[in-house]
Amino acid sequence: MTIWEMLAVFAAGISAGTINTIVGSGTLITFPVLLATGLPPVTATVSNALGLIPGSISGAIGYRAELAGQSRRVLRFAVAALIGGLTGATLLLSLPSTAFETIVPVLVTLALILVILQPRISRAVQRRREHNGGPTRTDGGPLLFTGLMLASVYGGYFTAAQGIIYLSLMGMLLDDTMQRLNAVKNVLAAVVNSIAALFFLFVADFDWTAVVLIAVGSALGGQIGAKVGRRLSPTVLRTLIVVVGTVAIVQLLLR
């Protein structure tokens, strides 16, 4: 890499770490930059996955106050993320890229629709529970576990917009604030990135210059994103998710 390419990758890492912590889809910043430096797609994907781990951990630490009291929920969801992330990483090296590229825009679009409708859906679910006398579910049940595991399969494969899918699923099936769910999302992203990168270490080639630049940049971005994201109201956060997700869909369709 030239010095200018290195600076571009570092800046992309900061931006990705920031936006991943607040919403998700940071890979849509780093991945094109890595391709522009001449890296093959698979090398760019695995280098990006490893480089974004410090950013995910940094973002989760920044949201540690919102994680209070969620340890059982996080551990349960982390199992789903672990299984899904490892499966997705395996698929990356065994399936043609077109297999997932076709359905990714559809998944992100569906996730955005769920984010937009989440307040209405949550109120309807709550009214039904009150009418039927059913208990409030704090873990989302098998449906959420399965949904998060499938989202993690996609996350282990490509990672772009997985945070938006996580938030849409949890927002629909859990009775909690967007900020607390966003904190959980950061932990799940860290789990998926870590297990995928660990798998890639043994079977794929990395560009270690790119890994280091993205790792340092995303770690800084994670702290920036936590400071900004924790101050956003639920409405603003939901609007930002929709805006970023829409940009992600357009970029995915134009690839």
Side-chain angles (χ1 to χ4, degrees), residues 57 122 151 175 201 209 218:
I57 296 174
S122 296
D175 298 317
L201 277 174
T209 301
S218 67

Side-chain angles (χ1 to χ4, degrees), residues 73-129:
R73 174 190 290 176
V74 169
L75 287 174
R76 174 182 169 82
F77 294 167
V79 173
L82 188 69
I83 297 171
L86 183 58
T87 303
T90 304
L91 291 176
L92 175 66
L93 301 180
S94 58
L95 291 180
S97 59
T98 52
F100 268 60
E101 288 175 355
T102 303
I103 196 170
V104 165
V106 178
L107 290 175
V108 178
T109 300
L110 178 60
L112 290 183
I113 293 173
L114 293 177
V115 168
I116 294 170
L117 297 179
Q118 182 258 321
R120 182 174 298 180
I121 294 173
S122 296
R123 287 194 296 269
V125 171
Q126 184 63 31
R127 284 195 300 269
R128 183 173 181 180
R129 285 175 183 156

Side-chain angles (χ1 to χ4, degrees), residues 83-239:
I83 297 171
L86 183 58
T87 303
T90 304
L91 291 176
L92 175 66
L93 301 180
S94 58
L95 291 180
S97 59
T98 52
F100 268 60
E101 288 175 355
T102 303
I103 196 170
V104 165
V106 178
L107 290 175
V108 178
T109 300
L110 178 60
L112 290 183
I113 293 173
L114 293 177
V115 168
I116 294 170
L117 297 179
Q118 182 258 321
R120 182 174 298 180
I121 294 173
S122 296
R123 287 194 296 269
V125 171
Q126 184 63 31
R127 284 195 300 269
R128 183 173 181 180
R129 285 175 183 156
E130 292 173 353
H131 181 267
N132 295 334
T136 298
R137 304 203 75 160
T138 59
D139 63 2
L143 180 60
L144 181 56
F145 184 90
T146 303
L148 293 176
M149 184 170 62
L150 293 176
S152 299
V153 172
Y154 164 63
Y157 187 94
F158 185 53
T159 77
Q162 67 168 327
I164 293 175
I165 299 174
Y166 285 150
L167 285 172
S168 67
L169 291 171
M170 291 189 292
M172 183 175 62
L173 297 172
L174 293 176
D175 298 317
D176 216 329
T177 66
M178 286 293 290
Q179 291 292 1
R180 280 169 58 83
L181 298 182
N182 201 29
V184 176
K185 177 228 33 176
N186 287 326
V187 175
L188 297 183
V191 171
V192 171
N193 284 342
S194 297
I195 190 62
L198 182 62
F199 175 79
F200 292 145
L201 277 174
F202 295 98
V203 296
D205 294 323
F206 291 85
D207 185 296
W208 289 103
T209 301
V211 170
V212 171
L213 290 171
I214 293 177
V216 176
S218 67
L220 293 173
Q223 289 300 300
I224 296 172
K227 285 184 172 61
V228 174
R230 295 174 70 235
R231 298 175 182 175
L232 299 178
S233 69
T235 301
V236 172
L237 181 57
R238 189 172 290 107
T239 301

